[in-house]
Amino acid sequence: MIGVLIFPDFQLLDAAGPISVFEIAARYAGQSPSIRVLAATPGPVRSSSGVEMLARGLKSAGAITTLIVAGGEGVDVAAKGKTTLAFVRRLAQRGVRLASVCSGAHLLAEAGLLDGRRATTHWQRTRQFLAIHPKVKWEPDRIFVRDGDIWSSAGITAGIDLALAMASEDFGEAIAQQTARQLVLYHRRSGGQSQFSSLLELKGPSGRFGPLLTWAREHLDAPLTVEDLAEQAGMSSRHFTRAFIAETGSTPSKAIERLRIEVARQRVQASGEAIERVAELTGFRDPERMRRAFIRAFGQPPQSMRRAARAV
């Protein structure tokens, strides 16, 4: 059973996102969803948007095996609640899998459950939490982090990424992929809050073709044809293409384009290099070709992404 812990002024999507993931995944697995919303004070709990969610009391958590703690504007007050902190500690002692979404990590840290552990949170709260919880190994550029039985995720929608990873563990990779498709989401997003990483989006990046993809990333200025990739993998072109699609769910050419897009995005946002130079170094050659690829992937051209990054 999945438990979702909320409190007054919680962020609605922090709770609703993971709930939807586990509901859909359970149905694909042929099971009835088993999800319970919990709060220190049972009854309607008002989110920061004004929308209420009906919660049960903490005493009804006996059967849960996973607890997801929402974040939001009310987390600072919730993290001072002795009853809530004691409840979370008891679940940890019982071996329940714990997770936080966004600033919900503050509540787990206040309970002392993140001391000495790796964790992440929304990028806007990282500096504050570093000062408040110096014993936590904060990783600010991660979509989600798992350290043993404790998971944490970055801002808001990252709770969906975290829940998809948990669903993969609970129901299997195929169910998690089906769930992501139903939600019209990437199965895996970036390990960074930059929101995009082609290597991690590909199925099984640490599998048979993991080293090849890493090599390709380091040689994006080369043509990287199917024949080049097959030779590097020590396979015939035909066999390589079939095996690559079966392993990653992507054609070699699509995978290389996604790698080019990722590296080009990083250069565009983090450097002052000319757009033409970025296109050359990442193998697009033609800036117009790179512009079209950016619009397909991000909905905006490189120049707009650079302006937005500088504004931040």
Side-chain angles (χ1 to χ4, degrees), residues 12-307:
L12 187 63
L13 189 56
D14 285 4
I19 286 171
S20 293
V21 168
F22 282 105
E23 175 208 349
I24 294 169
R27 295 193 190 282
Y28 274 127
Q31 303 175 16
S32 296
S34 183
I35 305 166
R36 189 166 291 177
V37 178
L38 307 168
T41 303
V45 180
R46 186 181 177 90
S47 71
S48 57
S49 68
V51 176
E52 295 180 338
M53 189 173 279
L54 189 62
R56 301 190 186 194
L58 301 183
K59 292 182 179 180
S60 64
I64 70 168
T65 55
T66 295
L67 179 72
I68 299 173
V69 180
E73 294 179 5
V75 73
D76 294 330
V77 173
K80 296 176 182 177
K82 293 182 179 180
T83 300
T84 300
L85 294 179
F87 166 72
V88 173
R89 292 188 191 106
R90 283 198 305 273
L91 293 189
Q93 292 171 355
R94 208 176 80 199
V96 169
R97 182 174 60 175
L98 300 176
S100 62
V101 180
C102 195
S103 56
H106 178 41
L107 196 151
L108 294 183
E110 278 293 308
L113 301 178
L114 297 183
D115 288 355
R117 290 181 179 266
R118 296 161 45 247
T120 193
T121 188
H122 193 287
W123 60 270
Q124 285 186 317
R125 301 295 296 266
T126 300
R127 184 176 296 179
Q128 175 193 3
F129 289 174
L130 278 169
I132 299 173
H133 307 293
K135 295 181 180 179
V136 181
K137 300 175 182 178
W138 296 106
E139 299 190 9
D141 194 42
R142 296 288 300 277
I143 288 291
F144 66 85
V145 170
R146 178 184 184 181
D147 191 326
D149 285 336
I150 297 184
W151 303 55
S152 55
S153 68
I156 307 176
T157 60
I160 298 175
D161 297 89
L162 178 146
L164 282 169
M166 286 182 158
S168 178
E169 183 174 85
D170 294 349
F171 302 107
E173 190 78 354
I175 295 290
Q177 289 172 4
Q178 286 181 292
T179 302
R181 285 196 295 270
Q182 178 68 20
L183 290 165
V184 196
L185 296 169
Y186 281 127
H187 174 224
R188 288 195 180 93
R189 277 197 297 172
S190 170
Q193 293 194 49
S194 54
Q195 306 295 314
F196 189 88
S197 172
S198 299
L199 277 175
L200 289 180
E201 184 204 335
L202 292 170
K203 289 165 50 182
S206 59
R208 176 163 45 152
F209 294 112
L212 175 66
L213 292 170
T214 301
W215 174 84
R217 185 187 178 100
E218 296 169 353
H219 296 82
L220 290 177
D221 57 339
L224 297 182
T225 63
V226 172
E227 290 73 21
D228 294 333
L229 297 171
E231 182 179 357
Q232 181 67 22
M235 302 166 69
S236 70
S237 297
R238 181 178 296 180
H239 178 53
F240 165 74
T241 299
R242 287 198 303 265
F244 190 90
I245 292 172
E247 174 82 8
T248 69
S250 170
T251 65
S253 61
K254 287 291 186 183
I256 295 304
E257 178 171 311
R258 281 183 282 173
L259 287 175
R260 294 193 199 281
I261 291 170
E262 181 200 10
V263 175
R265 176 195 58 75
Q266 291 171 346
R267 285 181 173 273
V268 164
Q269 292 182 321
S271 77
E273 293 175 305
I275 298 298
E276 293 78 6
R277 178 62 173 164
V278 174
E280 179 182 353
L281 291 173
T282 54
F284 282 107
R285 310 297 181 192
D286 179 7
E288 177 58 22
R289 181 183 167 197
M290 186 173 82
R291 188 187 75 84
R292 292 195 299 268
F294 267 58
I295 291 174
R296 286 195 302 271
F298 308 115
Q300 56 185 316
Q303 292 87 345
S304 296
M305 296 192 72
R306 172 167 284 176
R307 284 194 296 270

